[in-house]
Amino acid sequence: MRRPNRRIYDFLLLPGGIVQLLLFLVPIGAVVLFSFGTTNIVGLPKIGFTWANYSEALQSFYIPVLLRTALFAAVATVICILLGYPLAYYAARYAPRLGRVMIAATVLTWLVDYLVRIYAWTALLDDNGLINNVISDLGFGRVQMLGSNGAVVVGLVYVYLPLMVLPVYASLTDLDPALIEAGKDLYGSPRATFWHVTLPSTRRGVLGGVLLVFLPALGDFATAQFLGGPQSAMIGNVINDQFTNSGSATFGSALTVLLLIVLLVGLLVVGRFARGAISGARTGVPA
Amino acid sequence: MSNDLPFSTDPLSRRQLLKAGAGVVAGGTLATLLGASGPVASAFASTAKVPTPTVKPTIDGDLNWLTWAEYIPPKVVTSFEKKYGVKVTQSYMTDDEQYVQKLAAGEPFDLITTNSAYLPQSVGGNLLQTFDPSDLKNFHQLIDFYQHPFYDDAQYRYTVPYGYGPTGIAYLSNKVSNVSHTWNDLFDHPEAKGHVYVLDQLEETIGAALLRDGYPLNSGSSAQVQKAVKSLMTLKPDLGGITTNVTPLLTSGQGWLVHAWATNVYEAIEASKTPEDIKFYLPTDGAPVAADTLSIGKNAKSPGTALLFIDWVLQEDNNYALGQYAAQKTGAKGGNAAFDDLVKKYPMFKFDDEKVLSDRGNWKIYPTGSRLSLYNQEWNAFEA
């Protein structure tokens, strides 16, 4: 068989490569550069070399914020799995037509602007909002929800759930039904078949969902800004403040670089785990 | 602390500061008043020798205006468009820092709703151009204070006032009682736990805590600022949030004790189903103030139209409509009269210009340089 000229592939990579370079690597490079600089009177970065931004970023009071951010993102990710997997499973296995509608309904929320959706949650959760009115009408007292850590997690789950559902749904629809039949033929109960056949075969989708939910949730700031309270600040809020309110883009850049490092390390760890899990699923040997 | 702080680093009580201020002749700069040095000071001081303007009030193109959303009566804009045959395009910002950043990035806005607290940055960063006030037919409409505001008092100007009002405290009278009318109220009402809100602006909230502790609003002393933020830390468990989105907090009943700008409280009262419950006062230990102003951008493509529009806004009937629409004083006769008419219904919004404006200790100055680093670090610790 004649192999296509490799140059054609190289050429096809060029437009995407240029876009990546301009829209991703150059801004990241600028952020790294600014993180070692100082600011002028109007808050614009001045190129230079100082560790001051990093030494400030490593102040102890940022550690609780980082831990809180990781906790919010992790809890939101787990809840997204618990909610998203059954939804995707039901849609893929038992109700193809209705399932597609359900998936579409979940994804449709993304057509509405992010801030509008979060604002809608403030109206639902505030002391005189819809949820509290219902609770109150049922005879229970009003509960202060807005401004709590729980409200932030609810917001994160709401925002990122579609990013969990879609890859899980895709992996479930790719799953060969004969595998499940084989599990049953081997006298596996539905539960045993799910745990030993379906779930391992869809780990790739779940891990994809975990990455798609956890990583952006780590960098989120609007959810905590609108739904959270003074004890709910995420690292994204601190970074956002440096660029928008504090005229301190260089310090914000240093925080961004540190967050990127944390994200990259997380990505490597999850990637390593994913490789093991997927190869385990392929060979049938638990990872 | 380095010596480029715009204000004295020595602990100086508010009373001492005001006493110092009394010795300064009228028309002196804020920098002089505060014994300042460094970039902020020089920015104000430089107003004494500002560049000679090149702009004249004449139509030279459509107007591109960077401002706040819903901050001008539509009829004032449409009548200008109709009279001069130009189009006015408004772009909206969500905080003052944005206009500084946009202008610093070279964006060619003709007209900008600037703020007196940011004038040192704007002038120091060469973001604005001057105009000759004698070119404005309606300049005489300004009240005495704004004919020569201390922050922009040279022969040529960078600003005319657009709207102003002090920061104070709003509360729901059905939830909170026995207010002392001082900043300490924010700290001393356990019944409002979880429903106390402070503004998400470091100079406002640190400023309020400084005033509560008896320090100058714009202190550059690290000891004073650290003590003020320490006080704020004690307030944190009682806070419902840190936000500038004050109006819905009051209308929804979520905020019981809220650090707020008067104009937002007025908005909340107008929108509330129970307006009688919403109260507002200016703390007796200091009412921080800054003026929204109109300025012409350095890279303006239609500076003449911008200056003509500034004059248009000062015109008495237009200014009255502005004061009525924005529910705040404008610094000109029309708008101030409109505000006086509005607050007949709500006397709590009334404030004495003489008392608030002439006390320079009340005027907010956004920090720059080392003072900004100090405020940022303390603010980040508070928010974290």
Side-chain angles (χ1 to χ4, degrees):
Chain A
M1 198 169 98
R2 195 176 161 210
R3 300 184 66 170
N5 189 340
R6 198 197 146 120
R7 283 190 180 176
I8 295 174
Y9 289 131
D10 291 347
F11 180 75
L12 289 174
L13 276 177
L14 199 61
I18 291 171
V19 169
Q20 280 278 63
L21 187 72
L22 291 179
L23 299 183
F24 183 72
L25 288 180
V26 170
I28 292 288
V31 166
V32 173
L33 200 61
F34 294 159
S35 69
F36 293 103
T38 54
T39 51
N40 65 10
I41 189 170
V42 290
L44 286 183
K46 285 193 292 186
I47 308 297
F49 187 83
T50 171
W51 288 106
N53 297 314
Y54 284 96
S55 68
E56 195 180 333
L58 294 171
Q59 297 271 346
S60 61
F61 49 76
Y62 293 115
I63 292 170
V65 188
L66 264 176
L67 293 176
R68 187 188 302 137
T69 305
L71 183 67
F72 284 172
V75 172
T77 306
V78 169
I79 295 174
C80 281
I81 295 173
L82 294 176
L83 294 176
Y85 199 100
L87 174 66
Y89 186 84
Y90 181 79
R93 295 273 299 141
Y94 296 114
R97 190 172 295 171
L98 178 64
R100 277 196 289 272
V101 174
M102 289 162 65
I103 299 292
T106 310
V107 175
L108 266 177
T109 59
W110 273 61
L111 296 181
V112 180
D113 182 75
Y114 180 97
L115 286 180
V116 172
R117 284 180 282 150
I118 292 296
Y119 258 124
W121 272 101
T122 64
L124 287 173
L125 294 176
D126 82 31
D127 279 13
N128 297 304
L130 185 68
I131 295 173
N132 255 317
N133 285 342
V134 171
I135 294 173
S136 174
D137 289 347
L138 290 172
F140 304 100
R142 289 182 186 272
V143 181
Q144 192 178 350
M145 292 179 278
L146 199 62
S148 66
N149 292 349
V152 178
V153 172
V154 166
L156 290 174
V157 169
Y158 170 73
V159 168
Y160 295 112
L161 182 61
L163 297 184
M164 178 62 76
V165 171
L166 287 179
V168 174
Y169 178 72
S171 66
L172 280 162
T173 50
D174 283 350
L175 179 63
D176 187 351
L179 274 178
I180 299 173
E181 289 306 317
K184 287 178 181 167
D185 288 348
L186 293 171
Y187 301 102
S189 65
R191 184 178 295 179
T193 307
F194 174 79
W195 284 110
H196 294 290
V197 178
T198 310
L199 190 59
S201 304
T202 53
R203 273 187 205 172
R204 190 193 293 248
V206 174
L207 285 167
V210 166
L211 287 179
L212 287 174
V213 172
F214 185 73
L215 296 182
L218 269 185
D220 191 282
F221 67 92
T223 311
Q225 186 176 329
F226 290 104
L227 302 182
Q231 319 278 2
S232 316
M234 295 173 72
I235 196 70
N237 297 99
V238 180
I239 293 173
N240 179 54
D241 268 1
Q242 307 315 310
F243 287 96
T244 57
N245 292 332
S246 305
S248 192
T250 50
F251 175 55
S253 297
L255 284 172
T256 306
V257 170
L258 291 176
L259 181 63
L260 274 175
I261 291 170
V262 171
L263 287 174
L264 281 173
V265 170
L267 202 59
L268 287 173
V269 170
V270 173
R272 200 176 174 84
F273 174 68
R275 272 200 300 277
I278 289 162
S279 64
R282 278 192 189 135
T283 57
V285 179
Chain B
M1 189 60 57
S2 68
N3 65 359
D4 67 338
L5 278 175
F7 306 101
S8 166
T9 54
D10 297 323
L12 184 69
S13 75
R14 178 175 165 71
R15 192 164 288 120
Q16 285 173 307
L17 181 91
L18 295 177
K19 200 173 165 186
V24 178
V25 292
T29 65
L30 179 66
T32 311
L33 170 77
L34 295 171
S37 61
V40 173
S42 58
F44 274 126
S46 70
T47 57
K49 39 188 175 186
V50 297
T52 306
T54 54
V55 56
K56 290 287 172 193
T58 178
I59 292 294
D60 52 5
D62 289 340
L63 186 67
N64 197 5
W65 181 16
L66 179 62
T67 185
W68 300 89
E70 296 183 23
Y71 205 32
I72 183 134
K75 69 177 181 184
V76 173
V77 175
T78 51
S79 56
F80 180 81
E81 289 177 323
K82 199 172 167 189
K83 181 168 181 182
Y84 293 104
V86 291
K87 187 171 166 45
V88 176
T89 304
Q90 296 182 52
S91 304
Y92 300 127
M93 56 190 185
T94 52
D95 57 59
D96 290 305
E97 271 286 319
Q98 260 180 22
Y99 85 72
V100 175
Q101 288 174 6
K102 281 177 180 288
L103 295 181
E107 291 193 38
F109 288 103
D110 305 308
L111 184 67
I112 304 101
T113 306
T114 49
N115 188 283
S116 61
Y118 291 76
L119 195 59
Q121 278 174 299
S122 307
V123 173
N126 196 25
L127 306 180
L128 308 175
Q129 55 180 290
T130 57
F131 59 87
D132 186 341
S134 65
D135 285 336
L136 299 176
K137 278 190 300 185
N138 296 299
F139 193 77
H140 67 278
Q141 291 285 338
L142 292 174
I143 62 171
D144 287 347
F145 175 84
Y146 285 110
Q147 296 273 342
H148 296 283
F150 68 91
Y151 57 80
D152 187 17
D153 64 348
Q155 181 187 358
Y156 304 122
R157 304 289 172 82
Y158 291 100
T159 65
V160 295
Y162 185 83
Y164 64 99
T167 319
I169 295 175
Y171 67 99
L172 299 186
S173 57
N174 57 334
K175 302 284 187 187
V176 175
S177 54
N178 299 324
V179 288
S180 65
H181 290 231
T182 65
W183 286 110
N184 193 50
D185 281 329
L186 287 174
F187 297 77
D188 198 26
H189 281 275
E191 75 274 23
K193 186 177 173 68
H195 298 276
V196 181
Y197 288 82
V198 291
L199 287 169
D200 189 13
Q201 287 210 333
L202 54 87
E203 79 279 16
E204 284 279 12
T205 297
I206 294 178
L210 282 164
L211 290 173
R212 176 205 182 229
D213 289 343
Y215 298 132
L217 172 68
N218 298 302
S219 173
S221 153
S222 36
Q224 292 174 357
V225 172
Q226 280 161 3
K227 184 166 182 284
V229 174
K230 212 170 170 185
S231 305
L232 287 173
M233 293 287 198
T234 65
L235 173 64
K236 209 171 168 184
D238 289 348
L239 287 181
I242 305 166
T243 178
T244 46
N245 203 13
V246 163
T247 309
L249 285 176
L250 291 166
T251 49
S252 68
Q254 183 77 22
W256 296 3
L257 197 54
V258 182
H259 182 201
W261 293 299
T263 181
N264 291 142
V265 183
Y266 186 88
E267 263 174 29
I269 286 174
E270 289 290 291
S272 174
K273 288 177 189 160
T274 53
E276 66 281 1
D277 291 337
I278 303 176
K279 307 290 180 200
F280 178 77
Y281 60 88
L282 301 179
T284 51
D285 38 358
V289 70
D292 278 337
T293 49
L294 290 178
S295 302
I296 303 169
K298 187 73 181 173
N299 295 328
K301 288 182 178 164
S302 311
T305 310
L307 191 55
L308 205 57
F309 189 82
I310 287 173
D311 207 19
W312 183 254
V313 169
L314 292 179
Q315 192 176 295
E316 192 162 1
D317 52 344
N318 292 331
N319 206 262
Y320 186 92
L322 172 63
Q324 203 171 38
Y325 185 84
Q328 63 182 353
K329 291 189 178 186
T330 64
K333 287 166 194 158
N336 279 18
F339 182 81
D340 288 343
D341 288 346
L342 280 174
V343 299
K344 275 178 191 157
K345 199 170 156 193
Y346 303 111
M348 63 190 168
F349 288 110
K350 269 191 149 174
F351 63 91
D352 184 357
D353 264 345
E354 191 59 36
K355 199 172 161 188
V356 172
L357 301 186
S358 59
D359 182 347
R360 296 182 189 187
N362 284 333
W363 283 82
K364 287 177 291 184
I365 307 291
Y366 190 78
T368 54
S370 303
R371 184 170 160 251
L372 179 62
S373 300
L374 169 67
Y375 274 55
N376 269 340
Q377 189 163 3
E378 293 301 317
W379 183 250
N380 288 337
F382 168 60
E383 283 204 307

